[in-house]
Amino acid sequence: MRESEKKSMYIEQTPEVLENGPNKNFDDDGHVKRTGNLMTASAHIITAVIGSGVLSLAWAIAQLGWVAGPAVLLAFSFITYFTSTLLADSYRSPGPVNGSRNYTYMDVVRSHLGGVKVQLCGLAQYGNLIGVTIGYTITASISMVAVERSNCFHRHGHHVKCSISNYPYMIIFAVIQIILSQIPNFHELSWLSIVAAVMSFAYSSIGLGLSIAKVAGGGHARTSLTGVTVGVDVSGTEKVWRSFQAIGDIAFAYAYSTVLIEIQDTLKSPPPENKVMKRASLIGVSTTTIFYVLCGCIGYAAFGNKAPGNFLTGFGFYEPFWLIDFANVCIAIHLIGAYQVFAQPIFSYVEKRCNKKWPENKFISTEHAINIPVCGTWYINLFRLVWRTTYVVVTAVMAMIFPFFNDFLGLIGAASFYPLTVYFPIEMHIAQAKIAKYSFTWIWLKILSWACLIVSLVAAAGSIQGLAQDVKTYKPFKTQ
């Protein structure tokens, strides 16, 4: 039984580790001792939260204006942090400190709610994770193309079209992900997340710095309290749809609940995992919110109602071209790491199910040790190699079919925000804390849940409308 449990978690066991005994090398659940801490958890969160969403915030603020834009940003940050604390307490059940561990979001829902809600959670979580990996493939390729376009504009002038296909860069990104996807599990991703977190700060800071320079340079950009002006910038209908889509973009910018449990499962104990995770969430969400407000608001001040959908790749800036190049390289490197943070739970889920169903199948369960000079021993599993490679290829193909940045991000954000960030954490907290029905706490939690559902439906409608418009006007070899 212990052996199959170890296999299901995909933590490699060497003879040397097994001989050292359970007390030294294993946690209370029989799995290899976890080594994560506040720093690594914060890095995972920042990697997951500060992503491509930050690049669209100037555009989102432009649609909503100076009043509603920052207000929506702050509202999403407070809701995300609050529900993440509820989710952190749900990692163990029945109690948040001494209960049994749950390794995935679905396991948490199974322990606290059960029934059909487990399947609904799986559909929402893994659908979101797949969507995010497709979205990151799109965004990374756009950033790679932006480097080439930036150099083209520098050489030939800003009036030149410099149209370049995204497809070759999507293939390059996919090849890199095929290699990184062979990292066996989440526990070995800390170094990649730290690198990606540094990159996210770098390109966010560059975008922020360039926006400040543009504002300080005296270039006048037309802004307003209510955002883009009906009859001047957009029609009345466009204003409504774009506002809905902007809410979806902001929701996407805070989407990390899908991997919170997997991040928490990397933490060593003591101190209790829920306490460390709450502190990590506070650090991650507050840090990213400061960046989001600065990037969104100063970006809007710099570009006004004409803010591009992505201010580093939509060429709100042309010079200094080398700095734009560096920022876009940082985006690509960050998304290489962020892709893995979101893909690992999918990999683990499929491999866990297959191991349980076919425990004796050598293709699925056998690990082949390969000695690599300098790096040491690396374990290759043929099923892992084939399945993960296939997944990366499929997401790359989907990205080629739907290479639309803003609308795609908005749809993913709208579809995942309510069920994963709001509904399930609140329902599990009510069940775990045994909150009485119709009590004051129960009522306000339900009001919060229903309000977020309405916001998510509105945002999804705006993004679907935007995607429909994109499909109608899309030209395959024109850079988005």
Side-chain angles (χ1 to χ4, degrees), residues 203-220:
Y203 70 72
S204 298
S205 299
I206 290 170
L208 178 60
L210 290 171
S211 296
I212 292 172
K214 190 175 178 69
V215 173
H220 179 69

Side-chain angles (χ1 to χ4, degrees), residues 6-80:
K6 286 181 216 164
K7 283 182 180 177
S8 73
M9 288 301 296
Y10 307 102
I11 299 170
E12 310 302 341
Q13 308 288 335
T14 65
E16 180 185 359
V17 169
L18 291 173
E19 286 171 6
N20 285 337
N23 293 333
K24 182 178 178 182
N25 296 294
F26 294 86
D27 275 328
D28 55 352
D29 58 347
H31 293 155
V32 168
K33 209 158 190 67
R34 293 157 176 84
T35 57
N37 53 37
L38 180 63
M39 186 186 76
T40 60
S42 300
H44 282 315
I45 292 170
I46 291 170
T47 300
V49 181
I50 295 188
S52 51
V54 71
L55 304 172
S56 66
L57 291 180
W59 180 89
I61 299 291
Q63 310 315 306
L64 299 171
W66 284 119
V67 177
V72 171
L73 260 176
L74 292 174
F76 273 99
S77 71
F78 286 129
I79 293 168
T80 300

Side-chain angles (χ1 to χ4, degrees), residues 6-317:
K6 286 181 216 164
K7 283 182 180 177
S8 73
M9 288 301 296
Y10 307 102
I11 299 170
E12 310 302 341
Q13 308 288 335
T14 65
E16 180 185 359
V17 169
L18 291 173
E19 286 171 6
N20 285 337
N23 293 333
K24 182 178 178 182
N25 296 294
F26 294 86
D27 275 328
D28 55 352
D29 58 347
H31 293 155
V32 168
K33 209 158 190 67
R34 293 157 176 84
T35 57
N37 53 37
L38 180 63
M39 186 186 76
T40 60
S42 300
H44 282 315
I45 292 170
I46 291 170
T47 300
V49 181
I50 295 188
S52 51
V54 71
L55 304 172
S56 66
L57 291 180
W59 180 89
I61 299 291
Q63 310 315 306
L64 299 171
W66 284 119
V67 177
V72 171
L73 260 176
L74 292 174
F76 273 99
S77 71
F78 286 129
I79 293 168
T80 300
Y81 171 67
F82 172 68
T83 57
S84 71
T85 63
L86 304 183
L87 196 53
D89 282 337
S90 303
Y91 169 66
R92 286 181 181 263
S93 59
V97 177
N98 299 316
S100 300
R101 296 175 188 267
N102 295 289
Y103 306 112
T104 67
Y105 203 129
M106 282 183 70
D107 289 342
V108 173
V109 174
R110 186 178 290 109
S111 295
H112 292 89
L113 302 176
V116 71
K117 291 180 180 179
V118 179
Q119 283 69 42
L120 292 175
C121 169
L123 186 64
Q125 182 189 12
Y126 293 105
N128 169 256
L129 292 172
I130 292 168
V132 169
T133 54
I134 294 170
Y136 281 178
T137 304
I138 295 169
T139 312
S141 69
I142 291 173
S143 295
M144 293 175 183
V145 165
V147 173
E148 193 171 341
R149 294 186 73 206
S150 174
N151 295 333
C152 173
F153 288 134
H154 180 70
R155 286 193 305 267
H156 304 296
H158 302 169
H159 62 282
V160 179
K161 287 186 177 180
C162 292
S163 295
I164 300 162
S165 173
N166 292 358
Y167 296 164
Y169 293 94
M170 289 183 182
I171 294 170
I172 292 170
F173 183 81
V175 170
I176 294 170
Q177 292 303 335
I178 287 170
I179 296 168
L180 289 177
S181 291
Q182 298 315 306
I183 296 173
N185 54 58
F186 223 130
H187 301 262
E188 298 179 29
L189 276 179
S190 296
W191 65 273
L192 190 59
S193 278
I194 290 170
V195 170
V198 171
M199 293 297 104
S200 65
F201 279 124
Y203 70 72
S204 298
S205 299
I206 290 170
L208 178 60
L210 290 171
S211 296
I212 292 172
K214 190 175 178 69
V215 173
H220 179 69
R222 185 168 50 84
T223 64
S224 71
L225 292 177
T226 56
V228 291
T229 307
V230 175
V232 178
D233 304 303
V234 292
S235 66
T237 304
E238 285 176 328
K239 170 73 174 178
V240 173
W241 286 122
R242 284 191 177 193
S243 297
F244 291 170
Q245 185 189 327
I247 293 171
D249 282 4
I250 293 172
F252 176 83
Y254 281 103
Y256 87 100
S257 296
T258 46
V259 292
L260 185 146
I261 296 299
E262 283 78 1
I263 293 172
Q264 191 166 343
D265 191 45
T266 67
L267 296 174
K268 62 185 177 183
S269 179
E273 303 90 353
N274 65 325
K275 289 186 178 179
V276 177
M277 197 64 200
K278 287 176 183 179
R279 288 177 62 196
S281 293
L282 179 61
I283 292 169
V285 173
S286 59
T287 302
T288 53
T289 298
I290 292 169
F291 264 83
Y292 282 179
V293 171
L294 289 174
C295 287
C297 293
I298 297 178
Y300 180 43
F303 298 108
N305 294 342
K306 300 295 184 183
N310 179 327
F311 64 50
L312 285 176
T313 63
F315 287 91
F317 303 105

